[in-house]
Amino acid sequence: MKGSFFHAAGAKPGQAKCPAHDRRGVKEEMLITARGKEGGDMSELEGGVNPLEENTAEFEEETPNETTKLTAPVETKLDQLLAALEALQAQFGEKIAVDTHKNALFDEMHQELIRYQNGILDKIVETMALDIIQMADSTKRSLRLYEEKEPSEDNYRRLLRVIEGIAEDLDDILYRQSIEPYQVAGAQVDVRRQKIVQTVETDQQDRDNLVAVRVADGYEKNGKVIRPERIKIYKYSPG
């Protein structure tokens, strides 16, 4: 029993030590052992691989792969968006070209319509001008003829017929442009086709607001009134 204790404490057999001294020796050996272990661990940390550094290196190696995995879908979406924008831009350019062509055609048709309308108007004016010129020539010849005649009742009637013929010639000119004279039938006033230019007093109440005198014919073209008929109407005034 004693030999075992001495051996554990580091004493040789047969050599006696005091208990306090033995306890100090054991404690020192334990400290030396612990320090040696720490020194070995530190040596491993200094000369070997640090676990923390190893984990950090692994994280740094894995991080780019994880970033690539995250950014790949975003890049794909951006590529799709750019392709869609390019397609939309191409369609927009095509539509602008088509609209420009349509506008050019519309402008050309509009100009052609204006030229056509102006041509028709010019033709109408020229036709009426020629008719009026012919009538003016005829009127001047009649004037020169009657200037040489002596005033008489027969010549006066002939002159009236000439003037009546001038009015008929003018109506013919208008007729060739589909413009015709008209008179509203009956004594009742039609305000849509007649215009009152004067009133005539009457003591007969039943004539009030009826047509008294037809001053001038109305003129219409294809049923549309160009100028209403001029009339005078009766206005009742008690005597």
Side-chain angles (χ1 to χ4, degrees):
M1 185 74 180
K2 288 180 182 179
S4 300
F5 174 78
F6 288 150
H7 179 72
K12 297 180 179 180
Q15 185 178 1
K17 291 184 180 182
C18 67
H21 178 75
D22 292 339
R23 286 195 295 273
R24 283 196 301 271
V26 171
K27 185 174 181 180
E28 289 175 359
E29 289 180 0
M30 293 177 65
L31 288 172
I32 291 170
T33 302
R35 288 173 181 172
K37 188 176 181 181
E38 286 182 6
D41 293 341
M42 291 299 294
S43 298
E44 291 178 359
L45 289 174
E46 291 174 0
V49 178
N50 190 339
L52 180 58
E53 292 178 355
E54 183 178 1
N55 292 336
T56 304
E58 292 177 358
F59 177 76
E60 290 176 353
E61 292 177 357
E62 293 177 357
T63 299
N65 295 332
E66 294 297 328
T67 304
T68 303
K69 291 179 182 179
L70 292 174
T71 57
V74 176
E75 292 178 354
T76 303
K77 292 291 185 183
L78 287 175
D79 292 339
Q80 294 175 354
L81 181 59
L82 289 175
L85 287 175
E86 290 177 358
L88 182 61
Q89 186 176 6
Q91 293 178 1
F92 184 69
E94 292 177 359
K95 184 155 190 325
I96 289 177
V98 171
D99 290 344
T100 302
H101 181 64
K102 287 182 178 179
N103 290 336
L105 289 177
F106 178 78
D107 291 340
E108 184 178 352
M109 292 175 63
H110 181 65
Q111 293 298 327
E112 186 66 24
L113 179 61
I114 291 176
R115 287 193 294 269
Y116 176 74
Q117 290 176 341
N118 291 338
I120 292 178
L121 182 60
D122 291 341
K123 187 65 176 177
I124 292 173
V125 171
E126 289 175 4
T127 302
M128 293 185 68
L130 289 174
D131 290 338
I132 294 172
I133 290 170
Q134 290 177 0
M135 188 187 67
D137 291 341
S138 176
T139 303
K140 291 175 182 178
R141 285 194 300 268
S142 298
L143 287 174
R144 286 195 296 269
L145 177 62
Y146 281 94
E147 284 176 352
E148 296 175 358
K149 293 181 177 292
E150 292 291 333
S152 65
E153 187 173 348
D154 290 339
N155 290 336
Y156 172 73
R157 292 192 182 95
R158 292 190 186 99
L159 182 58
L160 290 178
R161 286 195 296 270
V162 170
I163 295 173
E164 184 179 358
I166 293 173
E168 291 177 355
D169 289 341
L170 289 171
D171 283 342
D172 289 340
I173 293 173
L174 295 173
Y175 180 78
R176 283 190 285 272
Q177 303 302 325
S178 301
I179 300 173
E180 301 182 70
Y182 71 86
Q183 290 184 352
V184 177
Q188 296 293 331
V189 177
D190 185 350
V191 295
R192 296 172 301 176
R193 296 173 61 82
Q194 293 176 312
K195 182 175 181 180
I196 301 169
V197 295
Q198 192 174 350
T199 59
V200 178
E201 290 187 1
T202 180
D203 57 357
Q204 300 179 22
Q205 191 171 1
D206 57 345
R207 289 187 174 183
D208 191 34
N209 293 325
L210 296 180
V211 176
V213 179
R214 300 183 186 275
V215 179
D217 292 342
Y219 286 85
E220 61 183 357
K221 180 175 182 177
N222 299 326
K224 179 181 179 181
V225 175
I226 295 178
R227 192 198 73 177
E229 180 185 4
R230 265 58 172 167
I231 59 172
K232 297 180 182 179
I233 64 169
Y234 290 111
K235 202 64 182 175
Y236 172 68
S237 177

